[in-house]
Amino acid sequence: MDDRKLQVLRAIVTDYVSSQEPVGSKALVERHSLGVSPATVRNDMAALEEEGYITQPHTSAGRIPTDKGYRLFVDRLGSVKPLSPAEQRAIHTFLSGAVDLDDILHRTVRLLAQVTQQVAIVQYPTLSHAEVRHVELVSLSSQRLLVILITSTGRIEQRVVEIEHTDDELTRVRSLLNAAAVGQVSSQAAARLGQLLAELPVAISSIGRGCIATLLDMLGSDASSRVVVGGMPNLTRFGDEFETTVRPVLEALEEQVVLLKLLGEATSTDIVTVRIGRENPYAELQSTSLVASGYGTALDSWATLGVVGPTRMDYPSTMASVRAVARYVGRFLAEG
C-alpha cells in the first residue's frame, strides 16, 4: 500500500473515532491536508474498500474502518503519544494516596476508566512473583493471634489463629519466621518455613506449628485469579445497540474466567497488547477491542491491566494511558 492510501486510512479512522459517523471523501479533503482532489480520494477509498480496510455500512453513506483497517492503523499508523507532564502528575497524585494493595487496584481501575472512557480491568498480582517483605504476629488475646503476611507487591494478607501463647513466645516465633521467609519468593519461603517446622525448639513448637501452617496456606493461595472491573457505564459509548452488542459484552465482562483469559496474553511490562474485534477469542466480545499491558518491575511482570471498549476507540491515546498507568502502578507497588 502506498503512503497516500495510508494517509487516507489514517484520516478515516481519526474522523470516525471522533465523529462516530461514516466518513466521506469530501469531508476528508476539507479536514485533512491530503494534497489531492476528492476524486482521487474516492479512488483511494474504493481501493481500500476492495482490500478490506474500510466498508460502507449502508448505501449512500460514507465509509468506516473494518477490524483489518484498525489493525493496520495500530501497527503502522498510530504512534503512541507520551502523556503530558500534567497527565503524569495527575496519575501520580491519584495513586499516591492509596493505603494498601486493594486501594491501589481500585484506584487504578477508576483512573483507567476515567482517562480512557472505557471499561477498565485490573488483575491482582500473582504471589508467586512476589518476595516476602515481612511477617507480623499480633496478640489479640492470650488464646488468639493475628498472622500478617506482607509481600513486595504490596499485598497484605491476615488470618486469625486460635492458639494459646505468651508475649515472649510470640517474639521468638516472629523472629524465626522473618529470618526464614523475608526476601524469598513464595515457593522458596514455603520451602524454608517447611524446614523450620522440623527445627522448632520444643518450648515454642505448638505456636510455631500453628503460625507456619497458616503462612503456608497464605503463600499457597493465588490472588491473581481475582480481577477488579470499573467503568461499566462507559459501555453506553456503543450507542443504541444494547440487545445486540452491549448486553453480550456486559454478560461476558461479568465472567472472571473470561477476563483472566482476555488479560492472559499481555504479560510484558514493555509492550502494549491490542486485540481488535474478531481477534478476541470470545464471540460476545468481537465488537470490542482490548488494550492491555503487564505491570510490575522491569524484570518481572506481576499481573496485567487494560481496557475494553468499542473497536471505534482512540487507539494512540488509549495505548499511551494504559502503558503509563501500568508503569506507575508497577513502580508504586515496588517502592511501597
Side-chain angles (χ1 to χ4, degrees), residues 108-292:
T108 298
V109 88
R110 292 201 309 273
L111 176 65
L112 263 181
Q114 182 179 324
V115 299
T116 64
Q117 293 297 295
Q118 313 292 352
V119 177
I121 310 167
V122 180
Q123 180 187 16
Y124 268 72
T126 177
L127 189 58
S128 61
H129 295 278
E131 292 182 358
V132 174
R133 183 168 286 170
H134 185 66
V135 176
E136 187 56 70
L137 305 178
V138 179
S139 180
L140 303 176
S141 71
S142 62
Q143 295 185 328
R144 298 177 74 225
L145 63 89
L146 186 66
V147 179
I148 303 172
L149 172 67
I150 304 172
T151 74
S152 59
T153 61
R155 178 178 167 189
I156 301 175
E157 284 220 23
Q158 52 189 37
R159 305 273 176 89
V160 174
V161 180
E162 304 282 346
I163 193 164
E164 193 170 344
H165 61 275
T166 65
D167 289 343
D168 180 60
E169 289 171 339
L170 216 59
T171 300
R172 293 177 65 188
V173 172
R174 181 191 298 115
S175 177
L176 290 172
L177 294 177
N178 278 289
V182 170
Q184 308 296 319
V185 296
S186 61
S187 58
Q188 294 169 337
R192 295 186 60 161
L193 288 170
Q195 292 174 351
L196 177 61
L197 200 57
E199 302 166 359
L200 285 170
V202 175
I204 56 171
S205 62
S206 178
I207 178 178
R209 285 197 303 271
C211 291
I212 289 174
T214 301
L215 282 170
L216 290 175
D217 186 50
M218 293 160 81
L219 289 167
S221 64
D222 188 7
S224 65
S225 60
R226 294 169 56 196
V227 293
V228 187
V229 181
M232 286 293 198
N234 290 329
L235 289 176
T236 56
R237 290 163 63 84
F238 276 103
D240 300 326
E241 310 157 10
F242 184 82
E243 290 298 329
T244 58
T245 301
V246 179
R247 185 188 293 277
V249 170
L250 269 172
E251 291 172 351
L253 292 178
E254 287 173 356
E255 295 291 333
Q256 296 269 310
V257 173
V258 171
L259 296 180
L260 288 168
K261 288 185 177 177
L262 263 183
L263 294 174
E265 288 184 13
T267 55
S268 172
T269 58
D270 295 326
I271 299 172
V272 177
T273 297
V274 180
R275 284 210 298 277
I276 300 169
R278 295 186 181 277
E279 295 171 2
N280 285 308
Y282 297 96
E284 299 86 351
L285 294 176
Q286 289 182 353
S287 61
T288 71
S289 288
L290 168 79
V291 178

